[in-house]
Amino acid sequence: MTVYTELHRIVEEGGRAVVLTVVAGPGTGAKLLVLEDGTTFGDGPADLAELAPAALRSGRSHVVEHGEASVFADVFGPPPRLLVIGAIDTSESLCALANLLGWTTIVADARAVFATRERLPSADEIIVAWPEQALEQVKPDLGTAVVVLTHDDKFDLPALKGALATEAFYVGALGSRRNQERRRERLLEAGVAEADLDRIAGPCGLDLGADSPAETALSILAEIIAVRAGRSGGSLRTAKTRIHVEPSEPAVSGT
């Protein structure tokens, strides 16, 4: 079985994998296919596999230095997913914007009166369920961003606690700074580790001066993109990094 035969199967099944090719240095031309579960195929050095987790989390193909070799990490996987907990006006705007990026959008809310196709025409999927049930159904992975918009502890707290127990690359929560602090205390009381709480982007979004639901959604999605690309989300005019993430500049996801 060749590397590309196995890669084709994984892509067809909606899985994730990275093809690591030595492009300069010792072993130039060697390839190693690494699946999300760590299974490998190919003739590349076995130690190349240690590059796979970071490459898969980045979601972007890039070149990385490995010892004396330069390795091209060609990343394959399904589109990113956006899971929104809470069917409010901002949820529809988030889905509409994420759809433009080719992302898969899911909105979950236990309140059937709000979680309707009429209110959420842009959502690819609508789940009428409590946060714990929705998270179990969606199973957020390293390609999933979770945004909690409900403003109600009976939804917010289990949603955030459950999301932090997953590999989601982004976990955000709407709300004032005062609410964020109060929510943090409640999550600590519920047994969430302080280090895990630092993963929460709250208040979520970049400082754009957003006011309307559409502007708020743009602020949130902009932060999600920045996190996935390993950027701060600041002004390009004052940025010291390249305008675009170059193939030789691996992105780092997560916070």
Side-chain angles (χ1 to χ4, degrees):
M1 180 179 295
T2 68
V3 163
Y4 290 106
T5 298
E6 182 62 19
L7 177 62
H8 179 76
R9 181 187 69 79
I10 292 298
V11 171
E12 286 291 306
E13 293 177 357
R16 288 187 176 82
V18 55
V19 177
L20 300 161
T21 304
V22 180
V23 294
T28 296
K31 294 182 184 295
L32 189 72
L33 169 66
V34 185
L35 310 189
E36 194 170 1
D37 65 2
T39 303
T40 62
F41 300 88
D43 60 358
D47 64 345
L48 288 181
E50 65 191 50
L51 302 174
L56 290 170
R57 288 198 66 83
S58 77
R60 298 169 183 259
S61 298
H62 56 273
V63 174
V64 62
E65 299 305 313
H66 183 63
E68 298 179 359
S70 294
V71 180
F72 179 58
D74 202 4
V75 181
F76 297 84
R81 296 186 299 172
L82 174 64
L83 170 61
V84 183
I85 306 292
I88 65 174
D89 290 344
T90 302
S91 307
E92 165 56 21
S93 296
L94 270 170
C95 291
L97 289 172
N99 284 346
L100 293 176
L101 302 178
W103 291 28
T104 299
T105 55
I106 308 161
V107 178
D109 200 313
R111 302 165 296 184
V113 66
F114 295 127
T116 66
R117 180 55 61 189
E118 290 72 26
R119 297 187 73 251
L120 301 163
S122 299
D124 292 314
E125 183 179 357
I126 299 172
I127 300 173
V128 180
W130 288 87
E132 301 97 326
Q133 297 167 320
L135 288 165
E136 177 60 30
Q137 183 172 331
V138 175
K139 292 181 170 54
D141 56 14
L142 52 80
T144 307
V146 180
V147 181
V148 180
L149 304 178
T150 43
H151 287 297
D152 187 328
D153 280 357
K154 67 176 177 288
F155 299 114
D156 291 354
L157 296 177
L160 290 169
K161 183 178 181 181
L164 290 173
T166 73
E167 289 188 292
F169 74 85
Y170 177 93
V171 178
L174 208 59
S176 68
R177 290 181 177 84
R178 178 179 297 178
N179 280 338
Q180 300 293 339
E181 286 302 316
R182 180 186 56 78
R183 190 183 289 143
R184 184 183 182 92
E185 292 302 319
R186 296 288 301 276
L187 288 168
L188 284 171
E189 292 170 3
V192 178
E194 191 159 359
D196 289 335
L197 291 178
D198 290 339
R199 290 177 57 199
I200 298 176
C204 58
L206 298 184
D207 184 10
L208 306 181
D211 182 38
S212 67
E215 290 176 346
T216 300
L218 177 61
S219 167
I220 296 170
L221 191 58
E223 182 177 54
I224 292 172
I225 293 170
V227 167
R228 190 164 188 259
R231 296 296 186 92
S232 66
S235 172
L236 285 174
R237 184 176 62 181
T238 58
K240 303 301 181 184
T241 53
R242 295 177 183 271
I243 292 178
H244 303 290
V245 175
E246 296 294 324
S248 59
E249 184 183 343
V252 180
S253 294
T255 56

